[in-house]
Amino acid sequence: MNADSPPAPQKKTMSHESFHKFSKVLLTSFTVYFLLLTILFSVALITLFKKYSQLLEEKAIIKELNYTELECRKQHSLLKDKVWSCCPKDWKPFSSHCYFLSIDAASWSESEEKCSSTGAHLMVIHSQEEQDFITQILNPKAAYYIGLSDPGHRQWQWVDQTPYNESVTFWHRGEPSSDNKQCVILNHRYSRWGWNDIFCSDKQKSICQMKKIYL
Ligand SMILES: *[C@@H]1O[C@H](CO)[C@@H](O)[C@H](O)[C@H]1NC(C)=O
Ligand SMILES: *[C@@H]1O[C@H](CO)[C@@H](O)[C@H](O)[C@H]1NC(C)=O
């Protein structure tokens, strides 16, 4: 009996060891599997969350803007995620902005208020291209307020705090003409479009401008 018994425990030990090994492999593969699942799940969750928050953001933008209709164009730009560039219906798109011609005559500050109420401001002219774009769609018989004014001492200021750059100005010859005329219109004179300083209380048409909406 004593001679027979030793093999049994040895066999038992071996099987125990191999079981130990087996369970170790099993545990490792489970761990790896579980980790992979966790990673996949996290990625899926993050993607979903991003999409969802983007959706919420778009909804918030549209709600805040309160336009009944947007006109969007597919764009191929560097702006990630945002595929559409939009302007409210009846606004004209150019570069990164939208423009609206207000044909109601009003003082400069009333005009600016009207623009603000739609989330825009009186037009700021940043370049020759922008000046050329806008003058193409204006009526040469009318004059339009732009977002340039002088709070005093001939310190011209744009409504959106864009620095006033002397080398990107389009004053008519002989303008600005009077220190009391502290607001600026765009009008057609001597067969060219240019800027003219006038009294801020004068009632004129105006041009509103806002950044394009990217969705
Ligand atoms: C949205 O526009 C309508 C029509 O212009 C106006 O009556 C309403 O008060 C506006 N709502 C907000 C939140 O601005
Ligand atoms: C003014 O505009 C010109 C022409 O675009 C530009 O070269 C210059 O750097 C600008 N100056 C300032 C102070 O922004």
Side-chain angles (χ1 to χ4, degrees), residues 31 49 58 120 143:
T31 309
F49 178 74
E58 282 169 17

Side-chain angles (χ1 to χ4, degrees), residues 37-123:
L37 268 184
T38 309
I39 291 167
L40 270 175
F41 186 71
S42 307
V43 168
L45 207 68
I46 289 168
T47 312
L48 209 70
F49 178 74
K50 267 190 168 168
K51 277 266 180 258
Y52 182 66
S53 49
Q54 196 185 330
L55 206 74
L56 282 185
E57 190 191 324
E58 282 169 17
K59 237 179 145 178
I61 290 172
I62 290 169
K63 198 171 172 189
E64 185 193 326
L65 288 169
N66 193 20
Y67 297 113
T68 46
E69 260 181 81
L70 288 178
E71 282 173 355
C72 302
R73 290 169 189 209
K74 198 151 191 170
Q75 56 152 9
H76 310 278
S77 92
L78 303 171
L79 275 167
K80 289 175 278 171
D81 306 337
K82 311 273 179 176
V83 182
W84 298 94
S85 76
C86 311
C87 284
K89 192 172 183 291
D90 300 328
W91 289 59
K92 300 268 187 295
F94 175 74
S95 189
S96 55
H97 289 90
C98 312
Y99 302 81
F100 182 77
L101 306 184
S102 175
I103 52 168
D104 297 330
S107 73
W108 187 88
S109 54
E110 282 164 357
S111 303
E112 171 56 15
E113 263 170 43
K114 264 195 279 176
C115 291
S116 319
S117 73
T118 68
H121 53 70
L122 280 172
M123 182 182 181

Side-chain angles (χ1 to χ4, degrees), residues 133-178:
F133 155 75
I134 201 68
T135 53
Q136 275 169 28
I137 61 174
L138 299 180
N139 175 0
K141 294 198 185 88
Y144 301 82
Y145 273 126
I146 58 173
L148 188 61
S149 67
D150 161 32
H153 315 290
R154 279 339 211 185
Q155 296 286 318
W156 294 108
Q157 277 183 7
W158 289 109
V159 280
D160 73 341
Q161 312 306 321
T162 295
Y164 176 74
N165 185 339
E166 206 49 80
S167 62
V168 193
T169 58
F170 306 95
W171 295 106
H172 279 298
R173 205 175 319 148
E175 305 294 347
S177 60
S178 162

